[in-house]
Amino acid sequence: MNNKEILLSQRWVLKRNDQERYYQIKDHIKELRNLFQEKAGFSLVSHPQFIRLDKTPGKGEPWMGITQFQYVEEYQIFCYILTFLEDKEVEEQFILSHLCEFVQIQLGVDENYWLQFKHRKMLVNVLKFCIKEQLIIQDDGNSDHFMQDQFVEVLFENTGLSRYFMRNFTADVFEWTYPQDVMENEWISNDNQDRGLIRIQRVYRRLLLSCGIYREDDENDDFSYIRRYRKSIEKDLQQFFPCDLQVYESSAFLILDDDVKVGQMFPKSNALDELVVLCCSQIRKGIKNGDYKIDDRELYIDGKERILKRFKIVIQKQLSYLPATYRQKSLDQLVDMVYQRFMEIGFMSQQDEEIVFYPVVAKLTGEFEEGAS
């Protein structure tokens, strides 16, 4: 992977983990900073401990966020952990019970809060994310044991990186109410108020970070811009890595060369993604046969209950091909896993009691080979 791919794929490049890569990027920091800022409006932050590309999306989408978190409360706990670490020195140690007490006070709950397994599991999940992102180090003990016993002690160490995890905002975030307020602040805070540049950067961000861009009702939307300037956009994006910008009647996709490994890959080598592809195949076949109707934007919209039933039929037919761990789950559990995966990767969204499938679904097809079980 080249330096651009690394910066786009990772949260940050830590000097202590990869000194060679850190200094490679450092040596070309001016060139890289200019490229990312000009094309996508991304800020490249250089620090004695790390280098980070702030990858702010061009448009907030339902699937974005920390995928390991399932509840809003986990985001709350995470923010309180960041606050807790603010007062800690680099390499300063602390124990789990002190952190639990701090989080409990901030949440405004009593000590009985940790008696519930769900709450302990949420804390463990957040701690795992903190360890993965190297905000803390687990020096002694195992935080997993906290799920079974609230009195378990674990010794952690602060790395100091937590102070740089959150982006700096130019406005008071407490004045914001809706997700779009964050995006509006992003463009307002930009020194260059030229609307043309803002649109270019928004489009490039969406192509780099989302699986696709789709036509909207507005004739002046981002997709219309892509159709108009496809060749120049493709040429600009090829400065980051080898790629091809494919534009269809109602959708646009940035297709990366096989040797480019940026962001999340789909499908991964697991049974869940294989089930998602099989469901995509069923939807694609239904559209082709005329059983499922798509609108003028190539969106397939149907009721949630009908979609869940169709997922169930597809999964039931493939049960014998699935690993034992999947066969041990109930059919409803598998359906829910597939449903959540579709949402997580941005292949569909829910609007009230209706499910909207995006055109990317029709680009995927597959089936299990006979004798593969």
Side-chain angles (χ1 to χ4, degrees):
M1 295 175 76
N2 63 37
N3 291 333
K4 298 162 196 168
E5 292 173 30
I6 289 286
L7 289 167
L8 284 165
S9 299
Q10 299 181 8
R11 185 176 301 280
W12 39 30
V13 177
L14 299 180
K15 182 180 177 182
R16 67 164 181 256
N17 286 357
D18 193 346
Q19 259 194 35
E20 183 180 352
R21 178 70 70 174
Y22 174 88
Y23 282 113
Q24 273 183 20
I25 296 173
K26 194 87 169 172
D27 290 343
H28 299 89
I29 196 78
K30 186 176 180 180
E31 167 198 333
L32 291 167
R33 181 174 281 147
N34 289 342
L35 175 64
F36 282 114
Q37 181 61 49
E38 178 190 348
K39 302 302 180 188
F42 289 156
S43 297
L44 187 57
V45 179
S46 178
H47 185 275
Q49 292 185 58
F50 63 84
I51 295 175
R52 182 188 70 216
L53 183 68
D54 282 342
K55 298 175 280 290
T56 309
K59 178 183 178 181
E61 301 190 51
W63 55 268
M64 292 180 175
I66 300 173
T67 54
Q68 293 92 323
F69 295 174
Q70 297 179 352
Y71 306 100
V72 172
E73 211 163 343
E74 288 173 304
Y75 285 93
Q76 290 178 293
I77 291 171
F78 177 59
C79 289
Y80 291 140
I81 290 177
L82 293 181
T83 305
F84 177 81
L85 295 173
E86 277 286 320
D87 296 329
K88 304 293 179 188
E89 298 294 330
V90 177
E91 298 184 350
E92 183 178 344
Q93 294 180 316
F94 60 93
I95 56 177
L96 179 58
S97 58
H98 289 174
L99 176 62
C100 287
E101 183 180 358
F102 180 85
V103 171
Q104 170 194 319
I105 292 170
Q106 299 304 314
L107 287 172
V109 296
D110 59 27
E111 60 273 8
N112 292 328
Y113 180 80
W114 301 116
L115 290 176
Q116 293 190 38
F117 176 78
K118 176 186 174 182
H119 298 153
R120 297 199 302 275
K121 186 178 180 181
M122 284 194 296
L123 177 62
V124 170
N125 194 35
V126 176
L127 287 171
K128 283 182 176 179
F129 176 75
C130 292
I131 292 169
K132 174 177 167 286
E133 295 299 329
Q134 303 189 55
L135 308 181
I136 57 176
I137 298 170
Q138 189 170 265
D139 283 340
D140 190 33
N142 189 335
S143 58
D144 282 347
H145 296 162
F146 180 69
M147 282 193 286
Q148 308 303 327
D149 182 0
Q150 69 177 106
F151 299 108
V152 162
E153 279 294 11
V154 182
L155 183 65
F156 296 103
E157 178 184 320
N158 179 36
T159 65
L161 290 172
S162 61
R163 297 178 182 179
Y164 310 101
F165 185 89
M166 300 287 280
R167 289 178 56 229
N168 290 323
F169 294 100
T170 57
D172 183 359
V173 297
F174 291 103
E175 294 180 359
W176 298 342
T177 306
Y178 304 102
Q180 55 264 38
D181 294 339
V182 182
M183 304 311 302
E184 288 175 7
N185 175 77
E186 173 68 17
W187 303 121
I188 291 170
S189 65
N190 195 316
D191 290 337
N192 191 333
Q193 291 297 308
D194 178 73
R195 296 184 65 176
L197 177 60
I198 288 174
R199 169 183 255 194
I200 291 170
Q201 292 182 347
R202 184 178 66 241
V203 167
Y204 283 33
R205 288 183 184 191
R206 294 184 66 188
L207 286 168
L208 287 168
L209 301 181
S210 298
C211 64
I213 295 182
Y214 311 111
R215 180 163 63 87
E216 299 172 14
D217 293 328
D218 183 3
E219 292 182 1
N220 201 32
D221 64 0
D222 290 343
F223 176 73
S224 301
Y225 180 85
I226 292 171
R227 289 192 73 168
R228 219 166 15 240
Y229 300 104
R230 177 187 173 276
K231 287 296 182 184
S232 61
I233 292 173
E234 183 179 68
K235 184 178 178 182
D236 282 345
L237 292 174
Q238 285 172 347
Q239 295 180 51
F240 294 100
F241 38 64
C243 60
D244 175 35
L245 180 57
Q246 296 184 4
V247 181
Y248 300 90
E249 184 178 341
S250 301
S251 56
F253 305 95
L254 187 65
I255 307 300
L256 312 183
D257 280 13
D258 290 341
D259 57 347
V260 177
K261 307 297 181 186
V262 173
Q264 294 189 40
M265 298 294 134
F266 182 89
K268 294 180 180 178
S269 300
N270 59 49
L272 180 57
D273 280 4
E274 289 169 353
L275 287 174
V276 169
V277 172
L278 288 167
C279 289
C280 288
S281 295
Q282 193 266 345
I283 294 169
R284 176 185 171 125
K285 188 184 298 181
I287 293 172
K288 187 176 179 181
N289 294 341
D291 298 328
Y292 307 157
K293 303 300 180 185
I294 58 174
D295 65 14
D296 60 349
R297 292 184 292 155
E298 297 183 299
L299 300 177
Y300 168 47
I301 304 173
D302 210 334
K304 182 178 178 180
E305 288 304 315
R306 279 194 294 273
I307 294 301
L308 294 179
K309 285 178 183 177
R310 287 167 186 164
F311 282 178
K312 184 177 285 189
I313 291 169
V314 172
I315 295 169
Q316 197 164 24
K317 288 180 179 177
Q318 311 298 333
L319 278 177
S320 61
Y321 294 99
L322 298 177
T325 52
Y326 278 71
R327 293 198 300 270
Q328 291 166 3
K329 297 180 185 295
S330 71
L331 204 51
D332 287 339
Q333 284 178 310
L334 293 175
V335 169
D336 185 61
M337 288 169 62
V338 169
Y339 177 86
Q340 296 300 332
R341 184 59 174 155
F342 262 96
M343 296 285 284
E344 179 185 314
I345 55 182
F347 283 9
M348 73 179 193
S349 64
Q350 181 174 342
Q351 298 176 6
D352 298 323
E353 287 303 308
E354 288 190 323
I355 301 299
V356 179
F357 287 96
Y358 297 108
V360 64
V361 168
K363 293 180 69 67
L364 298 165
T365 185
E367 59 184 17
F368 283 121
E369 292 182 4
E370 290 294 332
S373 60

